[in-house]
């Protein structure tokens, strides 16, 4: 649609609507009914009312165009295993739009859709169907962003959404389809009966990802962080991240022992990888595939945290250099709540990564469950509507449309900084895995699938017919790639080592080593004085004013230092040394128990002020964030963030310690196992308020026993500190010590203001963290020593 014509039409409707609001009775009844129905709409931009056939012709045509823009995707030819003809939905039926069959041959105004001012209704509808009901279905109306809607219309309507690719782009698609399918076939024949979670039936994903890297590079992207479950992961590792085929084949061999790190490892289709990928345009981009267990969508917040951290490190303030790509399964994206939690981060301060590209491998089945049994929504991507994210529905058997859609989606993400979804409708050639028999539960569907020609062959034959490719050349390329796989298989060298790697020497065991964490009196005084400075014209709460005065006296006058000040001094001294500190959680700015006050709020103007951000010019970055009401996604985000910023103090604080229940998947699958399973260093700290304080059993215990049961192979530190100086040294130690281990801290509630839970300033100037505090009142005749943790 031409923008000038569209603008003119918009002005007419706006003028008519203004008149309707002023005096509805002045308008023709058809206009009156139109605007009356429009006012009743709950969702802006969604047209769901019936059109009176007596309405003006230009009004009916405008409504017809809007109806196809809104509902045309329901008729798009996106399902490669469709068994039924689609029925025209009520919203697109002539009668609902105010027309009759006899109107099809009559001329109507085109409202800018066609170059001619008037055309037969049949021609107008045929044009709309070619745009919105072809091989790409698009949901974008009603996303509360008129600029985005107009932008997309200008990209797809003049061209009738016809994909125009160069010969080189077409050959690139075929090359990646070759790699994708032939790689899977090779594994299937050489490693019979082994699980690999093949991408066959959806192998178009590989040229889509390859095109994403190329298009993204042209749009200024430098890094990509990918999160995905196991289906297709081996293919992505080899054909996108360029992990060597020989290395992948090695992992299928009996007796394989991972040589890259010491630990238990995990199955090959859970592992991560990173590489610098050489693009066709000569540029190199960094691609990271984050490890992920079988908790399919658990990786989502981890990826977002990693991207956010990389954007900070690379100075990517506009969020246009690093992009997250999340690859979902259709059943998982609609069934797992972590998807919603993660998407809720998108526009939040301290979390927003500038938009995520979501690719859904829509196999139209989850394990053995069909869509009608696994979701209540029409599309598996309907969560996108909640967040006003556009969705492209594509057919895997039309690779060119798929590539075109993902390029458009990436361009949209870069321009509007929104999430965009590509729903890749495909199928699984085999069952849930290669040892599964899908005909047990889906006999009819798999009768159809077994008759299908591979996507690679469909596209290859299409290119030959177009004259883009000669059959001999195509066959030669296929044979060349097969030979390269055979050569890679011949290169496999299975290590003869049958015993685990040797244990580290004692002097390498640094977990309990003492580190210098004390700070000079001069520095403590300097940070205390700056922390106590109240900005001019800032109306601070009276209670806070007293607290600020008392905290300064703790350092300057030698008064006992309480928990809140001990913690604040830890952050302040690290920032003073140029370290980065990030703390997030529910109410973390003030602190659940009003002990922290890292955030001050002007009582008259509600302006925020963070004292820890104003220590000195060259101090470290300080972020304190009141998170969304989430544990699962919030902790996953911080885990991802801390895995990138190993020299920073990154803390997640539970509102109450037992709330870590909601993040148990992250604790089990990432925090406690990062080093052993994924060879991943992480510096994450968790603050879990703990202690029975008369508030009932719900918020009494942070479940020390659970964390202790997860300890093994020096994987993390679990600490129950009982003095402010202990917490001070502990938090500083977490950054100063070089070993990068997760830190679980059981923070107190009742001890926060207990008169005996205090430390002297000298405790901060000397010493270090003490693993065990001896009883200051030693019994004279002890016969038994009991080790316990918690409060008795």
């Amino acid at each position: 649609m031409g923008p000038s014509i569209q603008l003119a039409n918009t002005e007419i409707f706006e003028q008519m609507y203004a008149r309707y609001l002023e005096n509805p009775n002045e308008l023709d009844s058809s206009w009156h009914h139109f605007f009356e129905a429009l006012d009743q709409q709950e969702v802006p931009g969604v047209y769901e009312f019936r059109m009176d056939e007596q309405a003006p012709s230009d009004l009916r045509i405008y409504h017809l165009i809007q109806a196809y823009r809104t509902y045309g995707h329901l008729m798009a030819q996106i399902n490669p295993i469709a068994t039924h003809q689609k029925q025209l939905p009520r919203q697109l039926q002539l009668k609902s739009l105010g027309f009759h069959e006899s109107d099809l041959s009559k001329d109507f105004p085109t409202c800018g859709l066609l170059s001619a001012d008037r055309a037969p209704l049949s021609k107008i509808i045929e044009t709309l169907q070619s745009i919105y009901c072809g091989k790409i279905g698009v949901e974008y109306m009603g996303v509360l962003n008129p600029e985005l809607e107009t932008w997309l219309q200008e990209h797809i309507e003049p061209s009738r959404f016809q994909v125009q690719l160069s010969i080189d782009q077409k050959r690139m698609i075929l090359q990646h389809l070759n790699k994708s399918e032939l790689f899977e076939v090779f594994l299937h024949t050489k490693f019979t009966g082994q699980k690999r979670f093949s991408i066959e039936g959806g192998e178009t994903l590989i040229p889509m990802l390859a095109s994403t890297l190329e298009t993204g590079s042209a749009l200024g992207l430098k890094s990509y962080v990918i999160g995905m479950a196991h289906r297709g992961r081996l293919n992505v590792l080899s054909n996108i991240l360029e992990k060597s085929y020989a290395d992948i084949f090695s992992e299928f061999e009996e007796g394989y022992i991972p040589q890259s790190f010491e630990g238990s490892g995990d199955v090959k289709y859970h592992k991560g990888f990173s590489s610098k990928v050489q693009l066709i345009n000569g540029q190199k981009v960094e691609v990271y595939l984050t490890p992920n267990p079988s908790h399919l969508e658990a990786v989502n917040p981890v990826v977002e945290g990693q991207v956010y951290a990389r954007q900070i490190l690379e100075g990517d303030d506009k969020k246009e250099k690093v992009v997250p790509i999340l690859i979902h399964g259709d059943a998982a994206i609609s069934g797992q709540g972590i998807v919603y939690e993660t998407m809720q981060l998108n526009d939040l301060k301290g979390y927003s990564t500038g938009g995520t590209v979501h690719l859904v491998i829509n196999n139209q089945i989850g394990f053995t469950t069909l869509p009608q049994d696994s979701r209540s929504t029409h599309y598996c991507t309907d969560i996108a509507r909640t967040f006003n994210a556009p969705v492209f529905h594509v057919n895997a058997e039309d690779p060119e449309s798929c590539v075109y859609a993902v390029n458009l989606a990436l361009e949209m993400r870069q321009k509007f900084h929104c999430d965009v979804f590509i729903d890749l409708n495909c199928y699984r050639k085999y069952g849930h895995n290669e040892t599964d028999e899908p005909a047990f539960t889906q006999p009819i569907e798999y009768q159809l699938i077994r008759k299908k020609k591979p996507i690679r062959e469909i596209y290859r034959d299409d290119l030959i017919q177009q004259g883009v490719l000669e059959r001999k050349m195509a066959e030669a390329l296929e044979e060349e790639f097969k030979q390269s796989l055979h050569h890679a298989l011949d290169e496999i060298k299975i290590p003869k080592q049958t015993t685990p790697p040797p244990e580290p020497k004692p002097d390498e065991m640094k977990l309990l080593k003492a580190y210098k964490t004390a700070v000079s009196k001069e520095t403590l005084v300097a940070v205390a004085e700056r922390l106590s400075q109240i900005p001019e014209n800032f109306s601070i709460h009276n209670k806070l004013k007293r607290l600020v005065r008392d905290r300064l006296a703790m350092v300057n006058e030698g008064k006992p230092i309480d928990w809140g000040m001990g913690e604040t001094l830890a952050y302040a001294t690290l920032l003073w040394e140029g370290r980065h500190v990030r703390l997030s959680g529910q109410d973390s700015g003030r602190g659940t128990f009003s002990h922290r006050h890292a955030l001050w709020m002007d009582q008259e103007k509600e302006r925020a002020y963070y004292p820890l951000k104003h220590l000195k010019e060259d101090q470290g970055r300080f972020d304190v964030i009141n998170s969304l009401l989430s544990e699962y996604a919030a902790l996953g985000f911080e885990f991802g963030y801390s895995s990138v910023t190993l020299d920073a103090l990154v803390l997640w604080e539970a509102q109450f310690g037992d709330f870590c229940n909601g993040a148990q998947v992250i604790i089990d699958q990432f925090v406690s196992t990062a080093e052993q399973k994924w060879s991943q260093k992480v510096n994450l700290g968790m603050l879990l308020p703990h202690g029975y304080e008369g508030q009932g059993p719900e918020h009494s215990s942070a479940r020390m026993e659970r964390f202790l049961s997860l300890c093994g192979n020096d994987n993390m530190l679990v600490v129950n500190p009982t003095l402010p100086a202990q917490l001070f040294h502990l938090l500083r130690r977490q950054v100063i010590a070089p070993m990068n281990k997760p830190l679980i801290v059981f923070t107190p509630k009742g001890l926060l203001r207990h008169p005996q839970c205090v430390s002297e300033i000298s405790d901060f100037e000397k010493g270090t963290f003490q693993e065990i505090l001896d009883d200051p009142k030693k019994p004279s005749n002890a016969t038994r020593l009991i080790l316990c943790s918690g409060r008795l």
Side-chain angles (χ1 to χ4, degrees), residues 258-386:
Q259 297 297 296
S260 57
F261 67 97
E262 299 163 4
S264 65
D266 206 320
V267 290
K268 46 195 165 288
Y269 40 80
H270 284 174
K271 292 179 181 178
F273 195 72
S274 64
S275 64
K276 288 191 176 181
V277 177
Q278 179 84 43
L279 303 178
I280 295 171
N281 63 14
Q283 298 290 320
K284 279 191 174 182
V285 293
E286 292 182 307
V287 187
Y288 305 89
L289 179 63
T290 302
N292 190 38
S294 287
H295 299 68
L296 307 177
E297 302 288 339
V299 76
N300 295 358
V302 177
V303 165
E304 300 293 341
Q306 290 175 333
V307 169
Y308 190 84
R310 292 188 187 284
Q311 288 172 338
I312 290 174
L313 292 175
E314 295 185 22
D316 185 15
D317 297 334
K318 294 183 178 179
K319 308 198 181 291
E320 293 174 350
K321 295 179 184 176
V322 190
V323 68
I325 300 174
L326 295 179
I327 303 174
H328 312 269
D330 53 320
I333 193 174
S334 54
Q336 297 189 14
I338 188 62
V339 178
Y340 179 93
E341 288 190 31
T342 304
M343 290 190 68
Q344 195 65 265
L345 299 170
N346 185 48
D347 285 328
L348 299 183
K349 183 181 178 182
Y351 296 99
S352 175
T353 55
T356 299
V357 176
H358 300 263
L359 285 165
V360 183
I361 302 174
N362 190 346
N363 296 300
Q364 308 181 65
I365 190 171
F367 202 83
T368 63
T369 306
L370 292 173
Q372 59 265 31
D373 298 318
S374 65
R375 66 174 188 260
S376 298
T377 55
H378 182 78
Y379 293 120
C380 64
T381 53
D382 278 352
I383 191 172
R385 295 185 182 185
T386 303

Side-chain angles (χ1 to χ4, degrees), residues 76-80 135-138 161 204 208 359-360 362 391-399 401-406 421-426:
Q77 306 306 301
I78 57 174
N79 189 356
K135 286 291 181 71
I136 306 176
V138 58
F161 222 162
T204 308
M208 289 172 75
L359 285 165
V360 183
N362 190 346
V391 182
F392 294 92
H393 302 279
V394 294
N395 188 325
E397 289 190 331
D398 186 0
S401 291
C402 295
V403 165
Y404 181 70
V406 80
F421 286 74
I422 300 97
D423 174 23
L424 177 63
N425 288 263
C426 52

Side-chain angles (χ1 to χ4, degrees), residues 533-539 602 605 607 609:
Q533 291 178 355
I534 300 171
E536 290 184 17
N537 303 317
F538 188 90
S539 178
D602 190 308
K605 300 176 183 176
R607 293 178 300 164
Y609 179 76

